[in-house]
């Protein structure tokens, strides 16, 4: 699975997971959206959830946007491709640990790989971060369940179970 990132450069480069992925030749970063190749675009504003059925739509290419959460507005995701939102997952990164939907770029890319049943690639991406394995451990059950779904409708049904459970827990 090829990983590509539109990089806005508005976060600290020393803490930027996309920069680290590029350093280890795990992803290609782009400064203009026109350069970003067609693929499955991980877009939190997309109307449809990512599912295993999307694996072939992106021709083996995942695309993420690396920017601060403050600038992650819908307009920032004007890239060619099949836009999909990741379902409920919990961050393992030190800044947002335990927060749902607050994933770093590497967590988002790794999650998509898991949903596409490419666990080895997810582990490869996360291996460059000391908390990477924690992400897979924290989200093991939902990621496995999402990867077993046939389509977006099933993913949303599974997600609703996790959202209901997190509301019951008060998180």
């Amino acid at each position: 699975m090829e990983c590509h990132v539109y990089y806005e450069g508005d976060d600290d480069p020393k803490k930027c997971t996309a920069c680290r992925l590029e350093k280890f030749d795990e992803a290609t970063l782009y400064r203009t959206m026109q350069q970003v190749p067609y693929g499955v675009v991980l877009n939190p504003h997309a109307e449809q959830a990512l599912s295993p059925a999307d694996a072939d739509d992106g021709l083996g290419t995942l695309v993420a946007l690396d920017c601060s959460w403050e600038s992650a507005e819908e307009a920032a995701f004007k890239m060619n491709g099949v836009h999909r939102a990741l379902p409920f997952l919990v961050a393992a990164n030190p800044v947002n640990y335990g927060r749902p939907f607050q994933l770093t770029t590497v967590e988002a890319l790794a999650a998509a790989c898991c949903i596409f049943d490419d666990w080895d690639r997810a582990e490869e991406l996360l291996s460059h971060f000391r908390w990477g394995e924690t992400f897979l451990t924290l989200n093991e059950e939902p990621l496995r369940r999402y990867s077993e779904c046939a389509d977006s409708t099933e993913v949303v049904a599974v997600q609703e179970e996790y959202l209901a459970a997190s509301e019951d827990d008060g998180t």
Side-chain angles (χ1 to χ4, degrees), residues 4 22 27 29 34 40-42 46 53-54 60 69 80 88 93 102 105 110 115 119 121 135 138 140 153 168 170:
H4 300 271
E22 182 181 51
L29 273 57
Q34 294 77 16
V40 174
V41 179
L42 303 176
D54 299 313
W69 281 99
N80 287 328
F88 175 86
N93 67 77
Q102 298 290 308
T105 301
I115 292 170
W119 293 82
R121 180 68 171 132
F135 176 76
L138 277 176
E140 183 176 7
T153 303
D168 291 344

Side-chain angles (χ1 to χ4, degrees), residues 94-107:
V95 174
N96 291 309
Y97 183 87
R99 292 184 185 162
F101 299 107
Q102 298 290 308
L103 309 182
T104 61
T105 301
V106 69
E107 288 171 313

Side-chain angles (χ1 to χ4, degrees), residues 88 100 141 145 157-171:
F88 175 86
E141 182 186 344
R145 289 188 64 198
V158 171
Q159 172 182 263
E160 287 174 1
E161 291 177 33
Y162 288 104
L163 289 173
S166 74
E167 285 177 14
D168 291 344
D169 292 344
T171 53

Side-chain angles (χ1 to χ4, degrees), residues 13 26 32 74 79 93 96-97 100 123 126 136 146 152-153 165:
E26 299 287 1
T32 64
E74 193 169 355
M79 291 175 267
N93 67 77
N96 291 309
Y97 183 87
E123 289 174 6
L126 291 165
L136 293 177
Y146 297 143
S152 181
T153 303

Side-chain angles (χ1 to χ4, degrees), residues 3-159:
C3 296
H4 300 271
V5 179
Y6 171 62
Y7 176 68
E8 289 198 342
D10 53 2
D11 287 331
D12 181 350
K14 293 177 184 170
K15 296 178 183 175
C16 176
T17 63
C19 289
R20 183 172 235 167
L21 289 176
E22 182 181 51
K23 177 182 174 184
F24 289 102
D25 293 324
E26 299 287 1
T28 305
L29 273 57
Y30 302 91
R31 288 291 194 161
T32 64
M33 284 193 201
Q34 294 77 16
Q35 295 175 308
V36 180
Y38 182 92
V40 174
V41 179
L42 303 176
N43 179 346
H45 303 286
E47 293 182 17
Q48 196 169 335
L50 183 72
S51 79
D54 299 313
D56 294 332
D57 292 344
L59 308 171
T61 300
L62 285 172
V63 177
L65 168 66
D66 188 276
C67 65
S68 72
W69 281 99
E70 288 80 30
S71 62
E73 297 174 10
E74 193 169 355
F77 291 89
K78 299 293 184 202
M79 291 175 267
N80 287 328
V82 178
H83 289 245
R84 297 290 184 263
L86 285 170
F88 175 86
L89 295 165
V90 177
N93 67 77
V95 174
N96 291 309
Y97 183 87
R99 292 184 185 162
F101 299 107
Q102 298 290 308
L103 309 182
T104 61
T105 301
V106 69
E107 288 171 313
L109 291 167
C113 288
C114 291
I115 292 170
F116 289 165
D117 204 29
D118 193 350
W119 293 82
D120 290 340
R121 180 68 171 132
E123 289 174 6
E124 204 174 283
L125 292 170
L126 291 165
S127 70
H128 305 289
F129 303 86
R130 67 181 179 281
W131 46 263
E133 190 176 323
T134 304
F135 176 76
L136 293 177
T137 303
L138 277 176
N139 294 290
E140 183 176 7
E141 182 186 344
L143 285 169
R144 288 209 186 281
R145 289 188 64 198
Y146 297 143
S147 73
E148 294 167 356
C149 292
D151 57 27
S152 181
T153 303
E154 288 184 17
V155 168
V156 170
V158 171
Q159 172 182 263

